[in-house]
Amino acid sequence: MLPDHNLIPHLIHQCTLIEINKVAENWYRLKLQAPAAAAYAEPGQFVHLRAGSASDPLLRRPFSIHNADSRANEIWLLIRVAGKVTSALAGLSPGGIINILGPLGTGFPVPDDEGSALLVAGGIGLAPLYFLTLRRQAAALPTELLLGGLTGNALPDDSFFFRDGVHPLIATNDGSRGYRGTAADLLEMRLQSGIRPTRIFACGPVSMLARVVELGRNCGLPVYVSLESFLACAVGACLGCAFPFKTDDHIEYRRVCRDGPVFSGEEACFELV
Ligand SMILES: Cc1cc2nc3c(=O)[nH]c(=O)nc-3n(C[C@H](O)[C@H](O)[C@H](O)COP(=O)(O)OP(=O)(O)OC[C@H]3O[C@@H](n4cnc5c(N)ncnc54)[C@H](O)[C@@H]3O)c2cc1C
């Protein structure tokens, strides 16, 4: 549910880190005690967070909610170290404090109909799709997760997935784990094998998303994409994250933070970014 701007102060919480694990080269999974976020989080939503002092870095950073457990009052994040904030998060110990704003954004359409879904994750795009996988599996909805990475070390190992009952089909660019190729290649292979899901969900680099949308279009399948953009306010006010979409006869810009981050892929103009 999108927050009303008047509710934003109620979405800001000081959360305690309760567990942090390195799960792959430069990837960490964090579990936070975050009762309010855990109660309302939906797959595809994100938190805008601050780790460290209030002024450095000045802007919060967005991270997808990787799982939420309302009974345990926990949310999980999955981060790949990229810069200042992710380095700071990776260096935290249990007991550390993280200031979060969220959950924010419009997530994936769940609960879904009884239809089957193919979920296509490129690298850290796994973060939101994992939450969607768990929710769909809990609702007994047929779900297949396809995951691509550059190399085997760049992805979590099997135990990461198996303990949650998740069994992804994996591809790596160098063939060091799973199939040789990309997540989009995996999707193409699955579609060529004749399976026809009701819909496709994808999160990853723009070039991957563009190809996934094209593959979906060729089979007449709707594709939902979770987009990334550099967010400043994350609540729809600054318009800094605007992404181009085509409507009937013109291009319009929509806010990744508030109108998304999940959109119909068919309308996204990947060629303009
Ligand atoms: C909705 C959403 C969900 C996300 N979920 C996740 C997630 O679950 N896990 C995850 O690891 N990441 C996620 N991200 C990406 C993450 O927010 C960014 O990578 C974030 O910038 C990392 O912060 P940092 O301070 O560590 O790195 P930064 O200092 O922000 O730098 C990261 C990289 O981006 C470059 N960069 C920074 N600002 C700009 C700019 N304005 N223009 C061009 N390049 C720039 C830097 O040079 C550097 O290479 C998500 C992003 C969005 C929008």
Side-chain angles (χ1 to χ4, degrees), residues 26 44-48 57 59-66 77-89 124-128 203 226-231 241 256-257 260-261:
N26 284 329
Q45 288 193 300
F46 65 94
V47 292
H48 211 32
L59 297 177
R60 291 169 179 268
R61 301 287 198 270
F63 295 93
S64 302
I65 296 169
H66 172 55
L77 305 179
L78 186 67
I79 61 155
R80 181 178 56 200
V81 174
K84 212 164 192 170
V85 169
T86 43
S87 299
L89 289 171
I124 198 68
L126 173 67
C203 185
S226 181
L227 297 179
E228 279 202 12
S229 177
F230 289 98
L231 307 191
C241 61
V256 167
C257 69

Side-chain angles (χ1 to χ4, degrees), residues 13-256:
H13 301 280
Q14 294 280 90
C15 300
T16 307
L17 178 66
I18 49 181
E19 195 179 310
I20 179 164
N21 304 110
K22 185 170 183 178
V23 297
E25 186 85 40
N26 284 329
W27 286 30
Y28 294 81
R29 183 172 62 181
L30 292 83
K31 286 190 187 180
L32 308 180
Q33 189 76 24
Y40 298 110
E42 295 292 342
Q45 288 193 300
F46 65 94
V47 292
H48 211 32
L49 66 75
R50 170 174 291 143
S53 82
S55 58
D56 184 26
L58 189 60
L59 297 177
R60 291 169 179 268
R61 301 287 198 270
F63 295 93
S64 302
I65 296 169
H66 172 55
N67 193 12
D69 183 339
S70 57
R71 277 170 302 179
N73 292 326
E74 287 172 6
I75 61 166
W76 306 0
L77 305 179
L78 186 67
I79 61 155
R80 181 178 56 200
V81 174
K84 212 164 192 170
V85 169
T86 43
S87 299
L89 289 171
L92 286 175
S93 302
I97 299 297
I98 300 173
N99 185 286
I100 67 165
L101 166 61
L104 298 173
T106 305
F108 297 104
V110 283
D112 204 344
D113 52 31
E114 311 80 57
S116 58
L118 273 177
L119 280 53
V120 190
I124 198 68
L126 173 67
L129 291 179
Y130 198 75
F131 189 11
L132 183 62
T133 301
L134 295 177
R135 277 284 167 94
R136 288 184 57 91
Q137 287 189 174
L141 294 169
T143 303
E144 191 172 323
L145 176 64
L146 313 179
L147 171 64
L150 292 177
T151 169
N153 292 342
L155 297 174
D157 65 20
D158 289 345
S159 64
F160 174 94
F161 300 99
F162 292 178
R163 80 177 130 228
D164 292 324
V166 176
H167 296 271
L169 208 54
I170 288 180
T172 48
N173 288 33
D174 64 2
S176 57
R177 183 152 159 225
Y179 295 85
R180 181 185 294 273
T182 65
D185 293 336
L186 268 185
L187 174 65
E188 185 168 20
M189 187 184 86
R190 295 299 289 138
L191 293 173
Q192 278 173 353
S193 78
I195 71 157
R196 284 293 173 270
T198 318
R199 61 191 77 192
I200 297 169
F201 300 100
C203 185
V206 164
S207 56
M208 180 202 103
L209 295 179
R211 184 146 169 248
V212 168
V213 170
E214 191 185 341
L215 289 167
R217 186 187 303 126
N218 293 344
C219 297
L221 296 170
V223 180
Y224 291 87
V225 293
S226 181
L227 297 179
E228 279 202 12
S229 177
F230 289 98
L231 307 191
C233 77
V235 292
C238 76
L239 309 183
C241 61
F243 197 97
F245 290 83
K246 51 182 174 297
T247 59
D248 294 339
D249 56 355
H250 66 287
I251 302 292
E252 72 173 33
Y253 282 81
R254 297 180 193 155
R255 299 162 298 181
V256 167

